[in-house]
Amino acid sequence: MEQITKISQLTELAKYKDNLRKEPQLKFLFFELTMNCNERCLHCGSYCGDIKSEEIPVQKYYKLLDKVKQDFSPLPMLCITGGEPLLRKDFFDIMSYAHKLGYKWGMTSNATLISNDIAKRLKESGMSTISVSIDGLEKTHDSFRRTNGGFKKAIDGIKNLLKYDFSEVQVTTVVTKKNIDELDDLFELMKELDVDSWRVINLEPIGRALLLDDYMLDKQDYIRMFDFIRTKRNEGYPLTYGCTHYLGLEYEKAVRDWYFICAAGVYTASIMANGDIGACLDIERRSETIQGNILKDDFTDIWKNRFRIFRTPLYNKNEKCSHCDSKYFCGGGSYHSWDYSNNQPLVCFKDMIF
């Protein structure tokens, strides 16, 4: 009976996605404020680090925020990321301006720079949600993020954030071969910290992670991770798998609140540090995935009239996917884990876990 219900709901979702491709709704607008970062994570999809990053002038952000407010209703939520966003010197100028215009906004951060004063300023600037990366226990985390002392600083940052009444303080953990044995201990840490939610995701074959074969999960690891998430959710804990990948009838809606849908280009757009306009920031940056640049193009026009690559099902681009009996539920997978050179998915759980 449960599987029949899931099939019915997934079928309705597939119809909804077809309509969404024709009439997209901008719900989330990502700002990659800088590529500069005080950590050098092994898996970084954007190759961030201690670099001289291109950055859009602050006045351009003001004009963009004004334009989006004029052209879109309701306003999309702003999702602020980097690099480490707090390294941008005019970070609070940009976000305070957005707050005054009525935008809701959240941020992804390594939290190593979040002192009590910074947490207080984030609250005053209108931040509602934040996701902080904890990628293992202390030794594992610091090694993975190539930052001595990063774990302790991140934990201190989380504690400072929890002093203030944010809508959600979330921790995100990237599960790899090196930390999967630490999940139980990490769960106890999350309970001790009393974070609002814990988001568990797998290492994706993108960015620097393409060189990390010995970190990638295998079939048994995936099953172990999904069973762990499902068990803790059934016990009532706020644990969730990320938004990526169709997982089959057994795990869909069991490890997260709803079914898989890739929001790239239908719910989500992004402004990159150099001004390029794209969908999800994790998508490979190449000529066909970049839709324009905010320094010379009108964002509203780009959103309405481009993004076709993201509004066409991926399964149409691959013969095996086009004949798959799960194609309408999967869509061909996530746009960030698609091999655009060979038109095939880099991650597919069909025949692996279902």
Side-chain angles (χ1 to χ4, degrees):
M1 186 65 182
E2 181 183 5
Q3 286 207 349
I4 294 174
T5 299
K6 285 187 175 183
I7 291 171
S8 175
Q9 291 175 334
L10 282 163
T11 301
E12 287 301 309
L13 180 60
K15 295 176 183 176
Y16 173 77
K17 286 189 284 189
D18 280 342
N19 290 328
L20 193 59
R21 293 184 186 106
K22 300 170 186 174
E23 297 182 15
Q25 305 166 22
L26 183 63
K27 292 189 175 184
F28 304 101
L29 179 56
F30 282 74
F31 285 175
E32 181 185 64
L33 291 186
T34 183
M35 296 281 278
N36 196 11
C37 190
N38 58 337
E39 296 190 325
R40 296 176 298 114
C41 303
L42 286 173
H43 67 305
C44 183
S46 303
Y47 297 93
C48 297
D50 186 14
I51 60 176
K52 183 175 176 58
S53 171
E54 294 180 82
E55 294 181 356
I56 306 171
V58 64
Q59 293 296 330
K60 190 64 182 179
Y61 277 113
Y62 295 163
K63 291 180 181 178
L64 175 60
L65 289 165
D66 289 339
K67 186 71 163 55
V68 172
K69 181 177 175 63
Q70 172 186 309
D71 294 346
F72 293 87
S73 181
L75 286 177
M77 180 168 182
L78 301 179
C79 305
I80 309 305
T81 184
E84 172 49 53
L86 288 168
L87 286 174
R88 172 123 186 178
K89 294 180 180 179
D90 47 19
F91 171 88
F92 284 106
D93 295 329
I94 297 169
M95 301 324 302
S96 294
Y97 188 82
H99 179 47
K100 289 176 183 176
L101 290 178
Y103 287 91
K104 292 183 178 180
W105 67 275
M107 180 171 69
T108 300
S109 172
N110 60 40
T112 60
L113 303 176
I114 300 181
S115 62
N116 182 69
D117 179 62
I118 293 295
K120 183 172 181 287
R121 292 184 70 187
L122 289 169
K123 181 66 178 178
E124 293 169 348
S125 300
M127 188 181 79
S128 58
T129 65
I130 186 168
S131 183
V132 176
S133 299
I134 298 291
D135 292 319
L137 301 177
E138 183 172 0
K139 183 178 179 181
T140 306
H141 174 95
D142 287 358
S143 174
F144 190 59
R145 304 185 76 81
R146 294 192 286 183
T147 307
N148 292 332
F151 179 85
K152 289 182 178 179
K153 290 177 181 177
I155 295 299
D156 287 343
I158 291 169
K159 290 178 179 178
N160 287 327
L161 289 163
L162 290 168
K163 295 175 186 176
Y164 297 89
D165 187 27
F166 294 105
S167 297
E168 183 175 36
V169 176
Q170 179 186 78
V171 167
T172 293
T173 298
V174 177
V175 179
T176 72
K177 278 278 190 185
K178 309 295 183 180
N179 68 7
I180 193 167
D181 289 334
E182 298 177 355
L183 283 175
D184 287 314
D185 289 333
L186 285 169
F187 175 70
E188 294 302 320
L189 175 62
M190 297 307 131
K191 286 203 300 182
E192 179 184 341
L193 290 169
D194 195 24
V195 295
D196 297 310
S197 66
W198 184 24
R199 179 172 172 261
V200 174
I201 59 177
N202 53 275
L203 183 65
E204 296 281 88
I206 58 175
R208 289 182 184 141
L210 288 168
L211 303 176
L212 300 179
D213 287 345
D214 56 336
Y215 282 73
M216 293 293 176
L217 303 181
D218 58 30
K219 175 179 179 178
Q220 295 306 315
D221 294 327
Y222 280 118
I223 291 173
R224 178 181 174 187
M225 179 184 71
F226 291 133
D227 285 345
F228 173 83
I229 297 171
R230 178 170 57 184
T231 297
K232 297 305 181 186
R233 284 175 62 86
N234 288 341
E235 292 172 357
Y237 294 102
L239 177 58
T240 185
Y241 179 59
C243 62
T244 56
H245 310 306
Y246 175 67
L247 306 177
L249 295 178
E250 180 178 356
Y251 291 114
E252 281 295 325
K253 209 182 174 185
V255 296
R256 55 190 167 211
D257 292 341
W258 193 238
Y259 300 105
F260 165 70
I261 177 173
C262 183
V266 290
Y267 281 159
T268 299
S270 299
I271 310 298
M272 300 168 204
N274 66 351
D276 282 346
I277 303 169
C280 169
L281 285 168
D282 287 334
I283 294 170
E284 183 183 359
R285 300 176 187 191
R286 45 194 292 159
S287 59
E288 65 264 47
T289 62
I290 302 300
Q291 304 301 294
N293 188 289
I294 202 64
L295 297 176
K296 60 183 179 63
D297 297 311
D298 179 80
F299 173 77
T300 304
D301 177 64
I302 297 291
W303 174 258
K304 290 182 177 179
N305 298 308
R306 299 193 193 174
F307 283 90
R308 297 303 165 204
I309 188 172
F310 305 115
R311 296 168 187 170
T312 303
L314 287 169
Y315 60 73
N316 285 339
K317 301 175 182 292
N318 178 274
E319 185 176 0
K320 183 178 179 180
C321 291
S322 68
H323 291 94
C324 178
D325 58 8
S326 297
K327 68 178 183 180
Y328 295 117
F329 301 161
C330 172
S334 296
Y335 285 87
H336 78 273
S337 58
W338 187 259
D339 180 346
Y340 290 90
S341 296
N342 299 298
N343 275 324
Q344 62 186 20
L346 293 168
V347 177
C348 177
F349 287 125
K350 180 74 181 293
D351 301 326
M352 179 187 288
I353 65 168
F354 74 93

